[in-house]
Amino acid sequence: MTEEYVNKTSGVPACADSPSRRTLLRLGFAAGTAAMVAGAFTQGAVRAAAAGHGATDRPSVPAHLAGQDVTRLPTTEKKVALTFDCGSTPDGVDKVLEALGAHGLPANFFMTGRFAAANGPVARRIAAHYPVGNHSMTHPAFPKLTHDGRVQEIRSAADAIEKATGRPPVPLFRFPFGEVDRQSIADVNDEGYVCVRWTVDTCGWKGDSGGATTGTVIDRVMKALTPGAIILMHVGTTSPTDPSTVDATALPHLIEAINDQGYGYTSLRALMT
């Protein structure tokens, strides 16, 4: 995380990033997929330029959300927002959708263009029921990119998501790795997206090999439980050698624990009202 990170989280210790996570998110697909994704990236940028998809064509970010990387919803009601990042493999998606559907809960997903391009049927299943936000094309650290690089990542992801799901992403963006600075936020806002962080990361992405369990997921969320909390979870396996999907496995039990505290659920749509 950069020194210019604008908002602070709830005080729950952040999950330390790890080489295994970065390797998974960047290289977690078969070699054959890489060429397809590279093509989607290039074609997306070309189509965006041809269509004149500039900042002037996009809706303005509400003034009270501009310059922010939102960590909590503005509510005093005992409600939380469940969010899921899709940037590695599609493993665990079935479990997540089953748990959400069984309880009729709202949720938001943040999808990379790479994930959408590689997993079209899965992306369509998710988007058929839940809003899908933009999580960049290839999941790079945004502060390390140029302005043009950030714009290309955002637009190419939007194009890939729309191609895979049949609809453009909702105007919500989550920074890869949570790495952010003020200029990155400004560039994302100029593309018409509200930046959404989280109140608590379950750290389920660490997997069995990293010590993540259903118990640790529940414990982290319970410590951060507060009205308007945004909960970050992930779909996908941790690494090629760790096939666990801790967040997906923990979700039904986490829902029960949240319910036991008298909390309900909301979506990130609350930000836009």
Side-chain angles (χ1 to χ4, degrees), residues 89 91-92 95 207-209 236-246 249:
T89 72
D91 301 274
K95 289 182 179 179
D208 291 343
S209 60
T237 55
T238 298
S239 74
T241 59
D242 182 351
S244 62
T245 54
V246 175
T249 300

Side-chain angles (χ1 to χ4, degrees), residues 44 54 61 73 90 92 100 142 165 175:
V61 169
L73 297 177
L100 294 173
F142 263 49
T165 67
F175 286 100

Side-chain angles (χ1 to χ4, degrees), residues 12-271:
V12 175
C15 299
D17 207 354
S18 67
S20 63
R21 185 190 186 203
R22 289 178 179 270
T23 300
L24 172 67
L25 290 168
R26 288 175 174 155
L27 304 175
F29 299 104
T33 300
M36 175 184 68
V37 171
F41 191 107
T42 302
Q43 293 167 19
V46 170
R47 278 194 290 269
H53 291 333
T56 57
D57 301 314
R58 301 184 181 278
S60 298
V61 169
H64 68 286
L65 296 173
Q68 301 297 312
D69 194 19
V70 178
T71 61
R72 191 175 71 83
L73 297 177
T75 182
T76 57
E77 293 186 68
K78 293 178 68 174
K79 291 184 177 181
V80 299
L82 299 173
T83 70
F84 300 85
D85 283 5
C86 308
S88 57
T89 72
D91 301 274
V93 169
D94 288 345
K95 289 182 179 179
V96 168
L97 295 181
E98 181 180 352
L100 294 173
H103 295 272
L105 301 184
N108 287 78
F109 288 75
F110 287 88
M111 193 177 292
T112 65
R114 179 172 61 185
F115 181 98
N119 304 284
V122 174
R124 285 191 291 277
R125 285 181 56 213
I126 292 171
H129 300 284
Y130 301 99
V132 173
N134 191 319
H135 195 35
S136 80
M137 184 67 196
T138 66
H139 207 275
F142 263 49
K144 296 178 182 178
L145 300 179
T146 63
H147 166 78
D148 288 347
R150 288 190 282 267
V151 170
Q152 187 178 46
E153 281 283 338
I154 296 165
R155 295 183 185 179
S156 294
D159 186 85
I161 291 168
E162 183 169 9
K163 183 176 180 180
T165 67
R167 64 188 67 179
V170 296
L172 301 173
F173 183 88
R174 177 166 281 162
F175 286 100
F177 308 112
E179 293 187 8
V180 59
D181 59 13
R182 288 181 174 81
Q183 189 56 56
S184 296
I185 292 174
D187 289 345
V188 171
N189 287 167
D190 285 347
E191 289 298 304
Y193 292 88
V194 173
C195 302
V196 181
R197 197 175 178 81
W198 55 83
T199 310
V200 56
D201 181 349
T202 66
C203 294
W205 55 265
K206 288 185 174 183
D208 291 343
S209 60
T213 66
T214 292
T216 64
V217 165
I218 293 174
D219 185 57
R220 287 186 62 83
V221 174
M222 291 301 103
K223 287 180 178 178
L225 201 60
T226 188
I230 301 171
I231 299 170
L232 168 63
M233 307 183 82
H234 287 77
V235 303
T237 55
T238 298
S239 74
T241 59
D242 182 351
S244 62
T245 54
V246 175
D247 277 336
T249 300
L251 182 58
H253 308 284
L254 176 61
I255 291 170
E256 182 179 350
I258 293 171
N259 291 347
D260 286 346
Q261 296 301 311
Y263 274 74
Y265 303 85
T266 187
S267 79
L268 298 178
R269 186 177 294 109
L271 278 174

